[in-house]
Coordinates of all heavy atoms in Angstrom, one line a residue:
R365 N 87.9 87.4 89.7 CA 87.9 88.3 88.5 C 87.3 87.5 87.3 O 86.5 88.0 86.5 CB 89.3 88.8 88.2 CG 89.5 89.3 86.8 CD 88.6 90.5 86.5 NE 89.0 91.0 85.1 CZ 88.3 92.0 84.5 NH1 87.3 92.6 85.0 NH2 88.7 92.4 83.3
Y366 N 87.8 86.3 87.1 CA 87.3 85.4 86.0 C 85.8 85.3 86.0 O 85.1 85.4 85.0 CB 88.0 84.1 86.1 CG 87.6 83.0 85.1 CD1 88.0 83.1 83.7 CD2 86.8 82.0 85.5 CE1 87.6 82.1 82.8 CE2 86.5 81.0 84.6 CZ 86.9 81.1 83.3 OH 86.5 80.1 82.4
I367 N 85.3 85.0 87.2 CA 83.8 84.8 87.3 C 83.1 86.1 87.0 O 82.1 86.1 86.2 CB 83.5 84.3 88.7 CG1 84.0 82.9 89.0 CG2 82.0 84.3 89.0 CD1 84.0 82.4 90.4
A368 N 83.6 87.2 87.6 CA 82.9 88.5 87.4 C 82.9 88.9 85.9 O 81.9 89.3 85.3 CB 83.6 89.5 88.2
K369 N 84.1 88.7 85.3 CA 84.2 89.1 83.9 C 83.3 88.3 83.0 O 82.7 88.9 82.1 CB 85.7 89.0 83.4 CG 85.9 89.5 82.0 CD 87.4 89.5 81.6 CE 87.6 90.1 80.2 NZ 89.0 90.1 79.8
N370 N 83.2 87.0 83.2 CA 82.4 86.2 82.4 C 80.9 86.4 82.6 O 80.1 86.3 81.7 CB 82.7 84.7 82.6 CG 83.9 84.3 81.8 OD1 83.8 83.9 80.6 ND2 85.1 84.5 82.4
I371 N 80.5 86.8 83.8 CA 79.1 87.2 84.1 C 78.7 88.4 83.2 O 77.6 88.4 82.6 CB 78.8 87.4 85.6 CG1 78.9 86.1 86.3 CG2 77.5 88.1 85.8 CD1 78.9 86.3 87.9
V372 N 79.6 89.4 83.2 CA 79.3 90.6 82.4 C 79.4 90.3 80.9 O 78.5 90.7 80.1 CB 80.3 91.7 82.8 CG1 80.1 92.9 81.9 CG2 80.1 92.1 84.2
K373 N 80.4 89.5 80.5 CA 80.5 89.1 79.1 C 79.3 88.3 78.6 O 78.9 88.5 77.4 CB 81.8 88.2 78.9 CG 82.0 87.9 77.5 CD 82.4 89.1 76.6 CE 82.8 88.6 75.2 NZ 83.1 89.8 74.3
A374 N 78.7 87.6 79.5 CA 77.5 86.8 79.1 C 76.2 87.7 79.1 O 75.1 87.2 78.8 CB 77.3 85.6 80.1
N375 N 76.4 89.0 79.4 CA 75.3 89.9 79.5 C 74.3 89.5 80.6 O 73.1 89.9 80.5 CB 74.6 90.1 78.2 CG 75.4 90.8 77.2 OD1 76.2 91.7 77.5 ND2 75.3 90.4 75.9
L376 N 74.7 88.8 81.6 CA 73.8 88.5 82.7 C 73.7 89.7 83.7 O 72.7 89.8 84.4 CB 74.4 87.3 83.5 CG 74.5 86.0 82.7 CD1 75.0 84.9 83.6 CD2 73.1 85.6 82.1
A377 N 74.7 90.6 83.6 CA 74.7 91.8 84.4 C 75.6 92.8 83.8 O 76.5 92.5 83.1 CB 75.1 91.5 85.9
K378 N 75.4 94.1 84.1 CA 76.3 95.2 83.6 C 77.4 95.4 84.6 O 78.5 96.0 84.2 CB 75.5 96.5 83.4 CG 74.4 96.4 82.4 CD 73.7 97.7 82.2 CE 72.6 97.6 81.1 NZ 73.3 97.4 79.8
K379 N 77.3 95.1 85.8 CA 78.3 95.3 86.8 C 78.2 94.2 87.9 O 77.0 93.9 88.3 CB 78.1 96.7 87.5 CG 79.1 97.0 88.6 CD 78.7 98.3 89.3 CE 78.6 99.5 88.5 NZ 78.3 100.7 89.3
V380 N 79.3 93.7 88.3 CA 79.2 92.6 89.3 C 80.4 92.5 90.2 O 81.6 92.8 89.7 CB 79.0 91.2 88.6 CG1 80.2 90.9 87.7 CG2 78.8 90.1 89.6
E381 N 80.2 92.3 91.5 CA 81.3 92.0 92.4 C 81.1 90.6 92.9 O 80.0 90.2 93.3 CB 81.1 93.0 93.6 CG 82.1 92.9 94.7 CD 81.9 93.8 95.8 OE1 80.9 93.6 96.6 OE2 82.6 94.8 95.9
V382 N 82.2 89.9 93.0 CA 82.2 88.5 93.4 C 83.2 88.4 94.6 O 84.3 88.9 94.6 CB 82.7 87.6 92.3 CG1 82.8 86.1 92.8 CG2 81.8 87.6 91.1
Q383 N 82.7 87.7 95.6 CA 83.5 87.4 96.8 C 83.6 85.9 97.0 O 82.6 85.2 97.0 CB 83.0 88.0 98.1 CG 83.9 87.8 99.3 CD 83.2 87.9 100.6 OE1 82.2 87.2 100.9 NE2 83.6 88.9 101.4
L384 N 84.9 85.4 97.2 CA 85.1 84.0 97.6 C 85.8 84.1 98.9 O 86.7 84.9 99.2 CB 86.0 83.3 96.5 CG 85.5 83.3 95.1 CD1 86.6 82.6 94.2 CD2 84.2 82.5 95.0
A385 N 85.5 83.1 99.8 CA 86.1 83.0 101.1 C 86.6 81.6 101.4 O 85.9 80.6 101.1 CB 85.2 83.5 102.2
Y386 N 87.8 81.5 102.0 CA 88.4 80.2 102.2 C 88.8 80.0 103.7 O 88.9 81.0 104.4 CB 89.6 80.0 101.3 CG 89.3 79.8 99.8 CD1 89.1 81.0 99.0 CD2 89.1 78.6 99.3 CE1 88.8 80.8 97.7 CE2 88.8 78.4 97.9 CZ 88.7 79.6 97.1 OH 88.3 79.4 95.8
V387 N 89.0 78.7 104.1 CA 89.5 78.4 105.4 C 90.8 77.6 105.2 O 90.9 76.8 104.3 CB 88.5 77.5 106.1 CG1 89.0 77.0 107.4 CG2 87.2 78.2 106.3
I388 N 91.8 77.9 106.0 CA 93.0 77.2 105.9 C 92.9 75.7 106.0 O 92.1 75.1 106.8 CB 94.0 77.7 107.0 CG1 95.4 77.1 106.8 CG2 93.5 77.4 108.4 CD1 96.5 77.7 107.6

Side-chain angles (χ1 to χ4, degrees):
R365 162 62 178 174
Y366 174 74
I367 293 169
K369 185 175 184 180
N370 278 272
I371 289 171
V372 175
K373 182 66 176 179
N375 290 328
L376 300 182
K378 295 181 178 295
K379 181 191 298 186
V380 62
E381 178 184 74
V382 175
Q383 183 202 60
L384 302 175
Y386 290 86
V387 175
I388 187 168

